[in-house]
Amino acid sequence: MSEIEKVKCLIIGSGPAGYTAAIYAARANMAPVMYQGMQPGGQLTTTNEVENFPGYPEGVTGPEMMVQLQAQAERFKTDVRTGWVSKVDFSGAIHKVWVDDTKEIHADTVIIATGASAKYLGLESEQHYLKIGGGVSACAVCDGFFYRGHETIIVGAGDSACEEAHYLSKLAKKVTMLVRKDEFRASKIMAERVKKTPNIDILFNTDTLEVLGDGQGVTGARVKNSVTGEEQVISATGFFVAIGHKPNTDIFKDWLELDETGYIINKPGSTKTNREGVFVCGDAADHVYRQAITAAGTGCMAALDAERYLAAKEG
Ligand code: NDP
C-alpha cells in the first residue's frame, strides 16, 4: 500500500472556482494540492470565447483562460496534479480522500470545486459541433452574443430554457424553442414571458433528431413532432441546449448535505458545508448564477474560509 500523504489544503476540481481558491490558498502559505479531475479546466474548456470575464477587454477563449489560471496558481506553488478523486471519508477531523481509488490523502481542509455538467441530448451530431465549437452551446448568457441577428434554436422547457430563450430573443433574429412535451415545466410567469415574445416560436411535442451542419458549423436541426410523426428542418446557426445541469457531487453524498438535485448546501453567506473544514465553491453549490466570475468569487471565499478555519484550529 502506498504511504498516506498529509496536506493542509486539498482542492478538488480545476475550473475557475478551484484555481481561484488555489491562488488565494497558496498566497496564504497553505501549500494547496489540487486534483484536476476528469475535465481539467472544467466547463470553460468547452466554451469558445469568454467575453464577460472582467479584465479581458478583447475576450479570451475558455481553454486559454484556464491555462492562464493554472499558470497563476502554479506561480504561487500550488501543486496541480492530474487525477480523479474517487472516494472521500469526512467522518473525522482529518478528511480522508482517495485519488484514482488508490492513493490516500489526509487533509486538514478540503475545498470542493467539482462544478456541474450541463446535460446534452447525446446526439452524435450535437456532440460533433459542441466539440469543435461550431454552434452548439449549453449557455446562452455565455455564447448568445455570437448569434446577434441570427436564427437560433433552444431545447428545453424549464426555467433555464425560458430564461435563456428570452435572453436570446433580444440578440437573435429568431428563436425556435423545442419542447418535448405539450407543456412547459417552467414556472407560469417564465413560460408566459416566452409565449408573449414575438420572435420566439415554440414547437411543442417536438424532438430533435439531428443537428444539421456543413461540417464546420451548425446550419439547423431536423426535428419530429412526436404526435403527428411529421418531420421538418429548422434553420439556425446556434443550437442551444437548456435541459438542466448535474452537479458533480456523487462522491460527497454520504457526508454532505445536498439538495434534491445534488447541489451541496453551503451555510448562507459562506462556503462552509455541514462538515467542519470542508468548503464548497463554484457550480457544485450554485444552480442560480453558474458564471465563471461567480465561481471565481466563491473560490476566493472558500480559500479565505479555509485559512480562517485553520488559524482558529491552530490557535
Ligand atoms: P429543469 O430540470 O427544471 O428542466 C429541464 C427541462 O429540460 C425540462 O423541461 C425537461 O423536459 C427538459 N428536458 C430534459 N431532458 C430532455 C431531453 N432529452 N430532450 C428535451 N428536453 C429535455 O432544469 P432547469 O435548468 O430549467 O432548472 C433547474 C432548476 O433551477 C429549477 O428548479 C428551476 O426552477 C431553477 N431555475 C430558476 C430560475 C429562476 O427562477 N430565475 C432560472 C433558471 C433555473 P420535461 O419537462 O419534458 O421533463
Side-chain angles (χ1 to χ4, degrees):
M1 218 182 84
S2 64
E3 215 177 292
I4 294 170
E5 184 183 0
K6 293 197 166 96
V7 305
K8 239 182 186 180
C9 177
L10 184 76
I11 299 171
I12 310 175
S14 57
Y19 279 127
T20 307
I23 293 163
Y24 274 78
R27 295 185 82 251
N29 281 339
M30 290 163 77
V33 171
M34 170 192 279
Y35 277 93
Q36 289 184 306
M38 290 284 210
Q39 189 184 16
Q43 288 184 80
L44 271 189
T45 54
T46 58
T47 305
N48 239 348
E49 191 82 5
V50 181
E51 290 188 329
N52 53 7
F53 199 98
Y56 293 95
E58 306 303 326
V60 59
T61 69
E64 204 182 330
M65 186 181 182
M66 298 323 298
V67 167
Q68 291 181 350
L69 280 175
Q70 179 169 345
Q72 194 173 353
E74 287 179 329
R75 184 181 149 209
F76 299 109
K77 305 281 178 279
T78 301
D79 186 349
V80 179
R81 302 176 184 174
T82 54
W84 185 60
V85 171
S86 46
K87 195 172 96 175
V88 299
D89 175 348
F90 292 158
S91 57
I94 291 294
H95 312 298
K96 298 179 183 168
V97 171
W98 285 263
V99 180
D100 297 324
D101 282 328
T102 49
K103 186 178 172 56
E104 186 174 343
I105 294 179
H106 288 186
D108 293 328
T109 61
V110 174
I111 295 179
I112 298 170
T114 48
S117 305
K119 292 186 193 163
Y120 289 92
L121 299 175
L123 299 168
E124 208 178 299
S125 51
E126 169 203 54
Q127 292 302 305
H128 169 73
Y129 289 108
L130 173 68
K131 283 193 188 113
I132 65 166
V136 171
S137 166
C139 180
V141 177
C142 318
D143 299 327
F145 192 69
F146 304 112
Y147 300 92
R148 272 167 303 167
H150 290 222
E151 292 180 312
T152 57
I153 292 171
I154 185 160
V155 183
D159 282 327
S160 295
C162 288
E163 196 168 79
E164 301 213 343
H166 192 248
Y167 181 87
L168 278 176
S169 72
K170 293 189 204 145
L171 301 164
K173 182 162 78 181
K174 184 181 168 196
V175 181
T176 303
M177 197 167 181
L178 307 179
V179 176
R180 68 176 172 182
K181 290 189 189 142
D182 62 356
E183 59 181 6
F184 280 104
R185 184 192 290 196
S187 54
K188 230 184 171 123
I189 184 164
M190 303 281 269
E192 282 308 314
R193 187 184 300 158
V194 163
K195 285 181 193 165
K196 274 199 246 158
T197 306
N199 64 339
I200 301 180
D201 194 10
I202 304 160
L203 302 183
F204 288 101
N205 299 313
T206 301
D207 297 315
T208 308
L209 300 178
E210 188 185 359
V211 177
L212 303 172
D214 57 11
Q216 303 302 312
V218 169
T219 57
R222 190 160 57 83
V223 305
K224 183 178 180 177
N225 184 302
S226 55
V227 176
T228 63
E230 196 186 321
E231 288 187 21
Q232 64 169 307
V233 167
I234 299 162
S235 64
T237 52
F239 185 87
F240 289 86
V241 185
I243 61 173
H245 285 76
K246 188 182 178 316
N248 303 317
T249 57
D250 284 354
I251 52 165
F252 307 114
K253 66 177 188 299
D254 292 338
W255 309 105
L256 301 182
E257 276 173 23
L258 310 180
D259 74 7
E260 67 280 0
T261 317
Y263 288 95
I264 296 171
I265 297 173
N266 57 300
K267 304 227 159 102
S270 84
T271 62
K272 293 175 188 164
T273 67
N274 59 308
R275 295 276 165 176
E276 290 233 325
V278 179
F279 305 89
V280 63
C281 52
D283 289 11
D286 172 20
H287 63 87
V288 179
Y289 300 105
R290 297 196 293 239
Q291 299 300 301
I293 186 67
T294 50
T298 55
C300 159
M301 290 165 64
L304 295 177
D305 285 343
E307 187 192 348
R308 282 168 196 162
Y309 166 81
L310 278 181
K313 219 172 114 188
E314 286 160 5

